Coordinates of all heavy atoms in Angstrom, one line a residue:
L1 N 23.8 -102.9 22.9 CA 24.9 -103.6 22.2 C 24.6 -103.5 20.7 O 23.5 -103.8 20.3 CB 25.0 -105.0 22.7 CG 26.1 -105.9 22.1 CD1 27.4 -105.4 22.5 CD2 25.9 -107.3 22.6
A2 N 25.6 -103.1 20.0 CA 25.4 -103.0 18.5 C 26.6 -103.6 17.8 O 27.8 -103.5 18.4 CB 25.2 -101.6 18.1
F3 N 26.4 -104.3 16.7 CA 27.5 -104.9 16.0 C 27.7 -104.1 14.7 O 26.7 -103.6 14.1 CB 27.2 -106.3 15.7 CG 27.3 -107.2 16.9 CD1 26.2 -107.5 17.6 CD2 28.6 -107.7 17.3 CE1 26.3 -108.3 18.7 CE2 28.7 -108.5 18.4 CZ 27.6 -108.8 19.1
A4 N 28.9 -104.1 14.1 CA 29.2 -103.5 12.9 C 30.4 -104.2 12.3 O 31.1 -104.9 12.9 CB 29.5 -102.0 13.0
G5 N 30.6 -104.0 11.0 CA 31.8 -104.6 10.3 C 31.6 -106.1 9.9 O 30.5 -106.6 9.8
Q6 N 32.7 -106.7 9.8 CA 32.7 -108.1 9.2 C 32.0 -109.1 10.1 O 31.5 -110.1 9.7 CB 34.1 -108.5 9.0 CG 34.7 -107.8 7.8 CD 36.1 -108.3 7.4 OE1 36.9 -108.6 8.3 NE2 36.4 -108.4 6.1
I7 N 31.9 -108.8 11.4 CA 31.2 -109.7 12.3 C 29.7 -109.8 12.0 O 29.1 -110.8 12.3 CB 31.4 -109.3 13.8 CG1 31.0 -110.5 14.7 CG2 30.7 -108.1 14.1 CD1 31.4 -110.3 16.2
T8 N 29.2 -108.8 11.3 CA 27.8 -108.8 10.9 C 27.5 -109.6 9.7 O 26.4 -109.9 9.4 CB 27.3 -107.4 10.7 OG1 27.9 -106.8 9.6 CG2 27.4 -106.6 12.0
G9 N 28.5 -109.9 8.9 CA 28.3 -110.6 7.6 C 28.6 -109.8 6.4 O 28.3 -110.2 5.3
V10 N 29.1 -108.6 6.6 CA 29.4 -107.8 5.4 C 30.9 -108.1 5.1 O 31.6 -108.6 5.9 CB 29.2 -106.3 5.6 CG1 27.8 -106.0 5.8 CG2 30.1 -105.7 6.7
E11 N 31.3 -107.8 3.9 CA 32.6 -108.1 3.4 C 33.2 -106.8 2.8 O 32.5 -106.3 1.9 CB 32.7 -109.3 2.5 CG 34.0 -109.7 2.1 CD 34.0 -111.0 1.3 OE1 33.5 -111.0 0.2 OE2 34.3 -112.1 1.9
G12 N 34.3 -106.4 3.2 CA 35.0 -105.2 2.5 C 35.0 -104.0 3.4 O 34.3 -103.9 4.4
Y13 N 36.0 -103.1 3.1 CA 36.2 -101.9 3.9 C 35.0 -101.0 3.9 O 34.5 -100.4 4.9 CB 37.5 -101.2 3.5 CG 38.7 -102.0 3.8 CD1 39.5 -102.4 2.7 CD2 39.1 -102.4 5.1 CE1 40.7 -103.2 3.0 CE2 40.2 -103.1 5.3 CZ 41.0 -103.5 4.3 OH 42.1 -104.2 4.5
I14 N 34.5 -100.7 2.7 CA 33.4 -99.8 2.5 C 32.1 -100.3 3.2 O 31.4 -99.6 3.9 CB 33.1 -99.6 1.0 CG1 34.3 -99.0 0.3 CG2 31.8 -98.7 0.8 CD1 34.7 -97.6 0.6
E15 N 31.9 -101.6 3.0 CA 30.7 -102.2 3.6 C 30.8 -102.2 5.2 O 29.8 -101.9 5.9 CB 30.5 -103.6 3.1 CG 30.1 -103.7 1.6 CD 31.3 -103.6 0.7 OE1 32.5 -103.3 1.1 OE2 31.1 -103.7 -0.5
S16 N 32.0 -102.5 5.7 CA 32.2 -102.4 7.1 C 32.0 -101.0 7.7 O 31.4 -100.8 8.7 CB 33.6 -102.9 7.5 OG 33.7 -104.3 7.2
A17 N 32.5 -100.0 6.9 CA 32.3 -98.6 7.4 C 30.9 -98.2 7.3 O 30.3 -97.6 8.2 CB 33.2 -97.7 6.5
A18 N 30.2 -98.7 6.3 CA 28.7 -98.4 6.2 C 27.9 -99.0 7.3 O 27.0 -98.4 7.9 CB 28.2 -98.9 4.8
S19 N 28.3 -100.3 7.7 CA 27.5 -100.9 8.8 C 27.9 -100.2 10.1 O 27.0 -100.1 11.0 CB 27.8 -102.4 8.8 OG 29.1 -102.7 9.3
G20 N 29.1 -99.7 10.2 CA 29.4 -99.0 11.4 C 28.7 -97.7 11.5 O 28.2 -97.3 12.6
L21 N 28.5 -97.0 10.4 CA 27.8 -95.8 10.3 C 26.3 -96.0 10.8 O 25.8 -95.3 11.6 CB 27.8 -95.2 8.9 CG 26.9 -93.9 8.7 CD1 27.5 -92.7 9.5 CD2 26.9 -93.6 7.2
M22 N 25.7 -97.1 10.2 CA 24.3 -97.4 10.6 C 24.2 -97.8 12.0 O 23.2 -97.4 12.7 CB 23.8 -98.5 9.7 CG 23.6 -98.0 8.2 SD 22.7 -99.2 7.2 CE 23.8 -100.6 7.3
A23 N 25.2 -98.5 12.5 CA 25.1 -98.9 14.0 C 25.3 -97.7 14.9 O 24.6 -97.6 15.9 CB 26.2 -99.9 14.3
G24 N 26.2 -96.8 14.5 CA 26.4 -95.6 15.3 C 25.1 -94.7 15.3 O 24.7 -94.1 16.3
I25 N 24.5 -94.5 14.1 CA 23.3 -93.7 14.0 C 22.2 -94.3 14.8 O 21.5 -93.6 15.6 CB 22.9 -93.5 12.5 CG1 23.8 -92.6 11.8 CG2 21.5 -93.0 12.4 CD1 23.6 -92.6 10.3
T26 N 22.0 -95.6 14.7 CA 21.0 -96.3 15.5 C 21.2 -96.2 17.0 O 20.3 -95.9 17.7 CB 20.9 -97.8 15.0 OG1 20.6 -97.8 13.6 CG2 19.9 -98.5 15.8
M27 N 22.4 -96.4 17.4 CA 22.7 -96.3 18.9 C 22.6 -94.9 19.4 O 22.0 -94.7 20.5 CB 24.1 -96.9 19.1 CG 24.5 -97.0 20.6 SD 23.4 -98.1 21.5 CE 23.8 -99.7 20.8
A28 N 23.0 -93.9 18.6 CA 22.9 -92.5 19.1 C 21.4 -92.2 19.2 O 21.0 -91.5 20.2 CB 23.6 -91.6 18.1
R29 N 20.6 -92.6 18.2 CA 19.2 -92.3 18.3 C 18.5 -93.0 19.5 O 17.7 -92.4 20.1 CB 18.5 -92.6 17.0 CG 19.0 -91.6 15.9 CD 18.2 -91.9 14.6 NE 16.8 -91.6 14.7 CZ 16.2 -90.4 14.6 NH1 17.0 -89.3 14.5 NH2 14.9 -90.3 14.8
Q30 N 18.9 -94.2 19.7 CA 18.3 -95.0 20.8 C 18.6 -94.3 22.1 O 17.8 -94.2 23.0 CB 18.8 -96.4 20.7 CG 18.3 -97.3 21.8 CD 18.8 -98.7 21.7 OE1 19.4 -99.1 20.8 NE2 18.5 -99.5 22.8
L31 N 19.9 -93.9 22.3 CA 20.3 -93.3 23.6 C 19.6 -92.0 23.8 O 19.4 -91.5 24.9 CB 21.8 -93.2 23.6 CG 22.6 -94.5 23.7 CD1 24.1 -94.2 23.6 CD2 22.3 -95.2 25.0
A32 N 19.2 -91.3 22.7 CA 18.5 -90.0 22.7 C 17.0 -90.2 22.8 O 16.3 -89.2 22.9 CB 18.9 -89.2 21.5
G33 N 16.6 -91.4 22.9 CA 15.1 -91.7 23.0 C 14.4 -91.5 21.7 O 13.2 -91.4 21.7
R34 N 15.1 -91.5 20.6 CA 14.5 -91.4 19.2 C 14.3 -92.7 18.6 O 15.0 -93.7 18.9 CB 15.3 -90.4 18.4 CG 15.4 -89.0 18.9 CD 16.1 -88.1 18.0 NE 15.9 -86.7 18.4 CZ 16.8 -85.8 18.3 NH1 18.0 -86.1 17.8 NH2 16.6 -84.6 18.7
T35 N 13.4 -92.8 17.6 CA 13.2 -94.0 16.8 C 14.4 -94.2 15.9 O 15.0 -93.3 15.4 CB 11.9 -93.9 16.0 OG1 11.9 -92.8 15.2 CG2 10.7 -93.8 17.0
P36 N 14.7 -95.5 15.6 CA 15.8 -95.8 14.6 C 15.4 -95.2 13.2 O 14.2 -95.1 12.9 CB 15.8 -97.3 14.6 CG 15.0 -97.8 15.7 CD 14.1 -96.7 16.1
V37 N 16.4 -95.0 12.4 CA 16.3 -94.6 11.0 C 16.2 -95.9 10.2 O 17.1 -96.7 10.4 CB 17.4 -93.7 10.6 CG1 17.3 -93.4 9.1 CG2 17.4 -92.4 11.3
A38 N 15.2 -96.0 9.4 CA 15.1 -97.1 8.5 C 15.7 -96.8 7.1 O 15.1 -95.9 6.4 CB 13.6 -97.5 8.4
F39 N 16.8 -97.4 6.8 CA 17.3 -97.2 5.4 C 16.6 -98.1 4.5 O 16.5 -99.3 4.7 CB 18.8 -97.5 5.4 CG 19.7 -96.5 6.1 CD1 20.0 -96.5 7.4 CD2 20.2 -95.4 5.4 CE1 20.7 -95.6 8.1 CE2 21.0 -94.5 6.0 CZ 21.3 -94.5 7.3
S40 N 16.0 -97.5 3.5 CA 15.2 -98.3 2.5 C 16.1 -99.3 1.8 O 17.3 -99.1 1.5 CB 14.7 -97.3 1.5 OG 14.2 -98.0 0.3
R41 N 15.5 -100.4 1.4 CA 16.3 -101.5 0.6 C 16.5 -101.0 -0.8 O 17.2 -101.7 -1.5 CB 15.5 -102.8 0.7 CG 15.6 -103.4 2.0 CD 15.0 -104.8 2.0 NE 15.0 -105.4 3.3 CZ 15.2 -106.7 3.5 NH1 15.3 -107.5 2.5 NH2 15.2 -107.1 4.8
S42 N 16.1 -99.8 -1.1 CA 16.4 -99.2 -2.4 C 17.7 -98.5 -2.3 O 18.2 -98.0 -3.3 CB 15.3 -98.3 -2.9 OG 15.2 -97.2 -2.1
T43 N 18.3 -98.5 -1.1 CA 19.6 -97.9 -1.0 C 20.7 -99.0 -0.7 O 20.3 -100.1 -0.3 CB 19.7 -96.9 0.2 OG1 19.5 -97.6 1.4 CG2 18.6 -95.8 0.1
A44 N 21.9 -98.7 -0.9 CA 23.0 -99.7 -0.6 C 23.0 -100.0 0.8 O 23.1 -101.2 1.2 CB 24.3 -99.1 -1.1
H45 N 22.9 -99.0 1.7 CA 22.9 -99.3 3.2 C 21.8 -100.2 3.6 O 22.0 -101.2 4.3 CB 22.7 -98.0 3.9 CG 23.9 -97.1 3.9 ND1 24.2 -96.3 2.8 CD2 24.9 -96.9 4.8 CE1 25.3 -95.6 3.0 NE2 25.8 -96.0 4.2
G46 N 20.6 -99.9 3.1 CA 19.4 -100.7 3.5 C 19.4 -102.1 2.8 O 19.0 -103.1 3.5
A47 N 19.9 -102.2 1.6 CA 20.0 -103.5 0.9 C 21.0 -104.4 1.6 O 20.7 -105.6 1.8 CB 20.4 -103.3 -0.5
L48 N 22.1 -103.9 2.0 CA 23.1 -104.7 2.7 C 22.6 -105.1 4.1 O 22.8 -106.3 4.5 CB 24.4 -103.9 2.8 CG 25.7 -104.8 3.1 CD1 25.9 -105.9 2.1 CD2 26.9 -103.9 3.1
A49 N 22.0 -104.2 4.8 CA 21.5 -104.5 6.1 C 20.4 -105.6 6.0 O 20.3 -106.5 6.8 CB 20.9 -103.3 6.8
G50 N 19.5 -105.5 5.0 CA 18.5 -106.4 4.7 C 19.1 -107.8 4.4 O 18.6 -108.8 4.9
Y51 N 20.1 -107.8 3.6 CA 20.7 -109.1 3.2 C 21.3 -109.8 4.4 O 21.0 -111.0 4.6 CB 21.8 -108.9 2.2 CG 22.7 -110.1 1.9 CD1 22.2 -111.1 1.1 CD2 23.9 -110.3 2.5 CE1 22.9 -112.3 0.9 CE2 24.7 -111.4 2.3 CZ 24.2 -112.4 1.5 OH 24.9 -113.6 1.3
I52 N 22.0 -109.1 5.3 CA 22.6 -109.8 6.4 C 21.6 -110.1 7.5 O 21.9 -111.0 8.3 CB 23.8 -109.0 7.0 CG1 23.4 -107.7 7.6 CG2 24.9 -108.9 5.9 CD1 24.5 -106.9 8.2
S53 N 20.5 -109.5 7.6 CA 19.6 -109.7 8.7 C 18.4 -110.6 8.3 O 17.7 -111.1 9.2 CB 19.0 -108.4 9.2 OG 18.3 -107.7 8.2
T54 N 18.2 -110.9 7.0 CA 17.1 -111.7 6.6 C 17.4 -112.8 5.6 O 16.6 -113.4 5.0 CB 15.9 -110.8 6.0 OG1 16.5 -110.2 4.8 CG2 15.4 -109.8 6.9
Y55 N 18.7 -113.2 5.5 CA 19.1 -114.2 4.6 C 18.4 -115.5 4.9 O 18.3 -116.0 6.1 CB 20.6 -114.5 4.7 CG 21.2 -115.5 3.8 CD1 21.3 -115.2 2.5 CD2 21.4 -116.8 4.2 CE1 21.8 -116.2 1.6 CE2 21.9 -117.8 3.4 CZ 22.1 -117.5 2.1 OH 22.5 -118.4 1.2
G56 N 17.8 -116.1 3.9 CA 17.0 -117.3 4.1 C 17.6 -118.6 3.5 O 16.9 -119.6 3.6
G57 N 18.8 -118.5 3.0 CA 19.4 -119.7 2.4 C 20.0 -120.6 3.4 O 19.9 -120.4 4.6
K58 N 20.6 -121.7 2.9 CA 21.2 -122.7 3.8 C 22.6 -122.3 4.3 O 23.0 -122.6 5.4 CB 21.3 -124.0 3.1 CG 20.0 -124.7 2.9 CD 20.2 -126.1 2.3 CE 18.8 -126.8 2.3 NZ 19.0 -128.2 1.9
S59 N 23.4 -121.7 3.4 CA 24.8 -121.4 3.7 C 25.1 -119.9 3.5 O 25.3 -119.5 2.4 CB 25.7 -122.2 2.8 OG 27.0 -121.9 3.1
F60 N 25.0 -119.1 4.6 CA 25.2 -117.7 4.5 C 26.7 -117.4 4.0 O 27.6 -118.0 4.5 CB 25.0 -117.0 5.8 CG 25.2 -115.5 5.8 CD1 24.3 -114.7 5.3 CD2 26.4 -115.0 6.2 CE1 24.5 -113.3 5.3 CE2 26.7 -113.6 6.2 CZ 25.7 -112.8 5.7
Q61 N 26.8 -116.5 3.1 CA 28.1 -116.0 2.6 C 28.2 -114.5 2.8 O 27.3 -113.8 2.4 CB 28.3 -116.4 1.1 CG 28.3 -117.8 0.8 CD 29.5 -118.5 1.5 OE1 30.7 -118.0 1.4 NE2 29.3 -119.6 2.1
P62 N 29.2 -114.0 3.5 CA 29.4 -112.6 3.6 C 29.4 -112.0 2.2 O 29.8 -112.6 1.2 CB 30.8 -112.4 4.2 CG 31.0 -113.7 4.9 CD 30.3 -114.8 4.1
S63 N 28.9 -110.7 2.1 CA 28.8 -110.1 0.8 C 29.3 -108.7 0.8 O 29.1 -107.9 1.8 CB 27.3 -110.1 0.4 OG 27.1 -109.5 -0.8
N64 N 29.8 -108.3 -0.4 CA 30.0 -106.9 -0.7 C 28.7 -106.3 -1.2 O 27.8 -107.1 -1.6 CB 31.1 -106.7 -1.8 CG 32.4 -107.2 -1.3 OD1 32.8 -108.3 -1.4 ND2 33.2 -106.3 -0.8
I65 N 28.5 -105.0 -1.3 CA 27.3 -104.5 -1.9 C 27.4 -104.7 -3.4 O 28.4 -104.6 -4.0 CB 27.1 -103.0 -1.5 CG1 25.8 -102.5 -2.0 CG2 28.2 -102.1 -2.1 CD1 24.6 -103.2 -1.4
N66 N 26.3 -105.0 -4.0 CA 26.2 -105.1 -5.4 C 24.7 -104.8 -5.8 O 23.8 -104.8 -5.0 CB 26.6 -106.5 -5.9 CG 25.8 -107.6 -5.4 OD1 24.6 -107.7 -5.7 ND2 26.3 -108.4 -4.4
F67 N 24.5 -104.5 -7.1 CA 23.2 -104.1 -7.5 C 22.2 -105.2 -7.4 O 21.0 -105.0 -7.3 CB 23.2 -103.6 -9.0 CG 23.7 -102.2 -9.1 CD1 25.0 -101.9 -9.5 CD2 22.9 -101.2 -8.9 CE1 25.5 -100.6 -9.6 CE2 23.3 -99.8 -9.0 CZ 24.6 -99.6 -9.4
G68 N 22.6 -106.5 -7.3 CA 21.7 -107.6 -7.1 C 21.1 -107.6 -5.7 O 20.0 -108.2 -5.6
L69 N 21.7 -107.0 -4.8 CA 21.1 -106.9 -3.4 C 20.0 -105.8 -3.3 O 19.2 -105.8 -2.4 CB 22.2 -106.7 -2.4 CG 23.2 -107.8 -2.2 CD1 24.2 -107.3 -1.1 CD2 22.6 -109.1 -1.8
I70 N 20.2 -104.8 -4.1 CA 19.3 -103.6 -4.0 C 17.9 -103.9 -4.6 O 17.8 -104.6 -5.6 CB 19.9 -102.4 -4.7 CG1 21.2 -102.0 -4.0 CG2 19.0 -101.2 -4.8 CD1 22.0 -101.0 -4.7
E71 N 16.9 -103.4 -4.0 CA 15.5 -103.7 -4.4 C 15.4 -103.3 -5.9 O 15.8 -102.2 -6.3 CB 14.6 -102.8 -3.6 CG 13.1 -103.0 -3.8 CD 12.3 -102.2 -2.8 OE1 12.1 -101.0 -3.1 OE2 12.0 -102.7 -1.7
P72 N 14.8 -104.2 -6.7 CA 14.7 -103.8 -8.2 C 13.7 -102.7 -8.4 O 12.9 -102.4 -7.6 CB 14.3 -105.1 -8.8 CG 13.7 -105.9 -7.7 CD 14.3 -105.5 -6.4
L73 N 13.9 -102.1 -9.6 CA 13.0 -101.1 -10.0 C 11.6 -101.7 -10.2 O 11.4 -102.9 -10.5 CB 13.5 -100.4 -11.3 CG 14.8 -99.7 -11.2 CD1 15.3 -99.3 -12.6 CD2 14.6 -98.4 -10.4
A74 N 10.6 -100.8 -10.2 CA 9.2 -101.3 -10.4 C 8.9 -101.5 -11.9 O 7.8 -102.0 -12.2 CB 8.2 -100.3 -9.7
Y75 N 9.8 -101.0 -12.7 CA 9.6 -101.1 -14.2 C 10.9 -101.7 -14.8 O 11.9 -101.7 -14.2 CB 9.3 -99.7 -14.7 CG 10.3 -98.7 -14.4 CD1 11.4 -98.4 -15.2 CD2 10.2 -98.0 -13.2 CE1 12.4 -97.5 -14.9 CE2 11.2 -97.0 -12.8 CZ 12.2 -96.8 -13.7 OH 13.2 -95.8 -13.3
R76 N 10.7 -102.2 -16.0 CA 11.9 -102.9 -16.6 C 12.7 -101.9 -17.4 O 12.2 -101.1 -18.2 CB 11.3 -104.0 -17.6 CG 12.4 -104.9 -18.1 CD 11.8 -106.1 -18.7 NE 12.8 -107.1 -18.9 CZ 13.4 -107.3 -20.1 NH1 13.1 -106.6 -21.1 NH2 14.3 -108.3 -20.2
V77 N 14.0 -102.0 -17.3 CA 15.0 -101.2 -18.1 C 16.0 -102.2 -18.6 O 16.7 -102.9 -17.9 CB 15.7 -100.2 -17.2 CG1 16.7 -99.4 -18.1 CG2 14.7 -99.2 -16.6
K78 N 16.0 -102.4 -20.0 CA 16.9 -103.4 -20.6 C 18.3 -103.1 -20.5 O 19.1 -103.9 -20.2 CB 16.5 -103.6 -22.0 CG 15.5 -104.7 -22.3 CD 15.3 -104.8 -23.8 CE 15.5 -106.2 -24.2 NZ 15.1 -106.5 -25.5
D79 N 18.7 -101.8 -20.8 CA 20.1 -101.4 -20.8 C 20.6 -101.4 -19.4 O 20.1 -100.7 -18.5 CB 20.2 -100.1 -21.5 CG 21.7 -99.6 -21.5 OD1 22.5 -100.3 -22.1 OD2 22.0 -98.6 -20.9
K80 N 21.7 -102.2 -19.1 CA 22.2 -102.3 -17.8 C 22.7 -100.9 -17.2 O 22.4 -100.6 -16.1 CB 23.4 -103.3 -17.7 CG 23.9 -103.5 -16.3 CD 25.1 -104.3 -16.1 CE 25.3 -105.5 -17.0 NZ 26.5 -106.3 -16.7
R81 N 23.4 -100.2 -18.0 CA 23.9 -98.9 -17.5 C 22.8 -97.9 -17.2 O 22.8 -97.3 -16.1 CB 24.8 -98.2 -18.6 CG 25.4 -96.9 -18.1 CD 26.2 -96.3 -19.2 NE 26.8 -95.0 -18.8 CZ 28.1 -94.8 -18.7 NH1 28.9 -95.7 -19.1 NH2 28.5 -93.6 -18.3
T82 N 21.8 -97.9 -18.0 CA 20.6 -97.0 -17.7 C 19.8 -97.5 -16.5 O 19.4 -96.7 -15.7 CB 19.6 -97.0 -19.0 OG1 20.4 -96.6 -20.1 CG2 18.5 -96.1 -18.7
R83 N 19.7 -98.8 -16.3 CA 19.1 -99.4 -15.2 C 19.8 -99.0 -13.9 O 19.2 -98.6 -12.9 CB 19.0 -100.9 -15.3 CG 18.2 -101.6 -14.2 CD 18.0 -103.1 -14.4 NE 19.2 -103.9 -14.6 CZ 19.6 -104.4 -15.7 NH1 18.8 -104.4 -16.8 NH2 20.7 -105.1 -15.7
Y84 N 21.2 -99.2 -13.9 CA 21.9 -98.9 -12.7 C 21.9 -97.4 -12.4 O 21.9 -97.0 -11.2 CB 23.4 -99.3 -12.9 CG 23.6 -100.8 -12.9 CD1 24.8 -101.4 -13.2 CD2 22.5 -101.7 -12.5 CE1 25.0 -102.8 -13.2 CE2 22.7 -103.1 -12.5 CZ 23.9 -103.6 -12.8 OH 24.1 -105.0 -12.8
E85 N 21.8 -96.5 -13.4 CA 21.7 -95.1 -13.2 C 20.3 -94.8 -12.5 O 20.2 -94.0 -11.6 CB 21.8 -94.3 -14.5 CG 23.2 -94.3 -15.0 CD 23.4 -93.6 -16.4 OE1 22.3 -93.3 -17.0 OE2 24.5 -93.5 -16.8
A86 N 19.3 -95.5 -13.0 CA 17.9 -95.3 -12.4 C 17.9 -95.8 -11.0 O 17.3 -95.1 -10.1 CB 16.9 -96.0 -13.2
V87 N 18.5 -96.9 -10.7 CA 18.6 -97.5 -9.3 C 19.4 -96.5 -8.4 O 19.0 -96.2 -7.3 CB 19.2 -98.9 -9.3 CG1 19.6 -99.3 -7.9 CG2 18.3 -99.9 -10.0
S88 N 20.5 -96.0 -8.9 CA 21.3 -95.0 -8.2 C 20.5 -93.7 -7.9 O 20.6 -93.2 -6.8 CB 22.6 -94.7 -8.9 OG 23.3 -95.9 -9.1
A89 N 19.8 -93.2 -8.9 CA 19.0 -92.0 -8.7 C 17.9 -92.2 -7.6 O 17.7 -91.3 -6.8 CB 18.4 -91.5 -10.0
R90 N 17.3 -93.4 -7.7 CA 16.2 -93.7 -6.7 C 16.8 -93.8 -5.3 O 16.2 -93.3 -4.3 CB 15.6 -95.0 -7.1 CG 14.4 -95.4 -6.1 CD 13.9 -96.7 -6.4 NE 15.0 -97.7 -6.2 CZ 14.9 -99.0 -6.4 NH1 13.7 -99.5 -6.9 NH2 15.9 -99.8 -6.2
A91 N 18.0 -94.3 -5.2 CA 18.7 -94.5 -3.9 C 19.0 -93.1 -3.3 O 18.8 -92.8 -2.1 CB 20.0 -95.3 -4.0
L92 N 19.5 -92.2 -4.2 CA 19.8 -90.8 -3.7 C 18.6 -90.1 -3.3 O 18.6 -89.4 -2.3 CB 20.5 -90.0 -4.8 CG 22.0 -90.5 -5.1 CD1 22.5 -89.8 -6.4 CD2 22.9 -90.3 -3.9
E93 N 17.5 -90.3 -3.9 CA 16.2 -89.7 -3.5 C 15.8 -90.2 -2.1 O 15.3 -89.5 -1.3 CB 15.1 -90.0 -4.5 CG 15.2 -89.2 -5.8 CD 14.2 -89.7 -6.9 OE1 13.2 -90.3 -6.5 OE2 14.4 -89.3 -8.0
A94 N 15.9 -91.5 -1.9 CA 15.6 -92.1 -0.6 C 16.4 -91.6 0.5 O 16.0 -91.3 1.6 CB 15.7 -93.7 -0.7
L95 N 17.7 -91.4 0.2 CA 18.6 -90.8 1.2 C 18.3 -89.4 1.5 O 18.4 -88.9 2.6 CB 20.1 -91.0 0.8 CG 20.6 -92.4 0.8 CD1 22.0 -92.5 0.2 CD2 20.6 -93.0 2.2
E96 N 17.9 -88.6 0.5 CA 17.5 -87.2 0.7 C 16.3 -87.1 1.5 O 16.1 -86.2 2.3 CB 17.3 -86.5 -0.7 CG 18.5 -86.1 -1.4 CD 19.3 -85.0 -0.7 OE1 18.7 -84.1 -0.1 OE2 20.6 -85.1 -0.8
A97 N 15.4 -88.1 1.4 CA 14.1 -88.1 2.2 C 14.4 -88.3 3.6 O 13.6 -87.8 4.5 CB 13.2 -89.2 1.6
I98 N 15.4 -89.1 4.0 CA 15.7 -89.3 5.4 C 16.7 -88.3 6.0 O 16.9 -88.3 7.2 CB 16.2 -90.8 5.7 CG1 17.5 -91.1 5.1 CG2 15.1 -91.8 5.4 CD1 18.1 -92.4 5.5
K99 N 17.3 -87.5 5.2 CA 18.3 -86.5 5.6 C 17.7 -85.6 6.7 O 18.4 -85.4 7.7 CB 18.8 -85.7 4.5 CG 20.0 -84.8 4.9 CD 20.4 -83.9 3.8 CE 21.1 -84.5 2.6 NZ 21.6 -83.5 1.7
P100 N 16.5 -85.1 6.7 CA 16.0 -84.3 7.8 C 16.0 -85.0 9.1 O 16.2 -84.4 10.1 CB 14.6 -83.9 7.3 CG 14.6 -84.0 5.8 CD 15.5 -85.1 5.5
T101 N 15.6 -86.3 9.1 CA 15.6 -87.1 10.3 C 17.0 -87.2 10.8 O 17.2 -87.1 12.0 CB 15.1 -88.5 10.0 OG1 13.8 -88.4 9.4 CG2 15.0 -89.4 11.2
L102 N 18.0 -87.4 10.0 CA 19.4 -87.5 10.4 C 19.9 -86.2 10.9 O 20.7 -86.1 11.9 CB 20.3 -88.0 9.3 CG 20.0 -89.4 8.8 CD1 20.9 -89.7 7.6 CD2 20.3 -90.4 9.9
M103 N 19.5 -85.1 10.3 CA 19.9 -83.8 10.7 C 19.4 -83.4 12.1 O 20.0 -82.6 12.8 CB 19.6 -82.7 9.7 CG 20.3 -82.9 8.3 SD 22.1 -83.0 8.4 CE 22.5 -81.4 9.0
E104 N 18.3 -83.9 12.5 CA 17.7 -83.5 13.8 C 18.7 -84.0 14.9 O 18.6 -83.5 16.0 CB 16.3 -84.0 14.0 CG 16.2 -85.5 14.1 CD 14.7 -86.0 14.2 OE1 13.8 -85.3 13.6 OE2 14.5 -87.1 14.7
D105 N 19.5 -85.0 14.6 CA 20.5 -85.5 15.6 C 21.6 -84.5 15.8 O 22.3 -84.5 16.8 CB 21.0 -86.8 15.2 CG 20.0 -87.9 15.2 OD1 19.1 -87.8 16.1 OD2 20.1 -88.9 14.4
C106 N 21.8 -83.6 14.8 CA 22.9 -82.6 14.9 C 22.5 -81.4 15.6 O 23.4 -80.5 15.9 CB 23.3 -82.3 13.4 SG 23.9 -83.7 12.5
I107 N 21.2 -81.2 15.9 CA 20.8 -80.0 16.5 C 20.9 -80.1 18.0 O 20.7 -81.0 18.6 CB 19.3 -79.7 16.1 CG1 19.3 -79.5 14.6 CG2 18.8 -78.5 16.8 CD1 17.9 -79.4 14.0

């Protein structure tokens, strides 16, 4: 059994589609006897999944993805635009790193 979309605590069409993608990848890998893919919290997918699965506050609120959910950089960048570009570049690198794992499902 896997859940995706707004029932999981994400809000918005893009976020619901992303959670569906992750649920589908996870279920397909599980049925094939493979280990799940771990999306890093440095990516939007992993940050959103982390938020909805480990929220520690009193009153959970559904969320859209935002830079505040993504794991911060290990170094300080004052300019917001430059910081967001660095966070985005790091996320793309993390996704490239798991691409071979995802591609093995296509073979």
Side-chain angles (χ1 to χ4, degrees):
L1 183 62
F3 288 95
Q6 289 183 322
I7 195 168
T8 64
V10 299
E11 187 172 72
Y13 295 116
I14 300 292
E15 293 81 357
S16 293
S19 72
L21 174 68
M22 290 189 300
I25 289 170
T26 300
M27 186 59 68
R29 290 185 64 81
Q30 182 178 349
L31 292 173
R34 294 187 170 142
T35 58
V37 173
F39 287 89
S40 165
R41 288 186 182 215
S42 66
T43 67
H45 289 81
L48 196 56
Y51 171 76
I52 63 174
S53 63
T54 62
Y55 181 77
K58 288 185 176 187
S59 178
F60 179 82
Q61 295 295 313
S63 180
N64 295 88
I65 188 60
N66 62 70
F67 280 100
L69 296 179
I70 298 173
E71 187 176 86
L73 296 170
Y75 54 93
R76 189 163 195 266
V77 179
K78 265 183 129 172
D79 179 62
K80 187 189 318 188
R81 182 182 180 123
T82 305
R83 182 173 61 248
Y84 290 170
E85 287 173 355
V87 167
S88 298
R90 183 188 62 184
L92 290 173
E93 288 175 13
L95 291 173
E96 282 295 322
I98 64 169
K99 191 187 287 186
T101 304
L102 296 173
M103 294 306 295
E104 69 187 26
D105 294 328
C106 298
I107 298 172

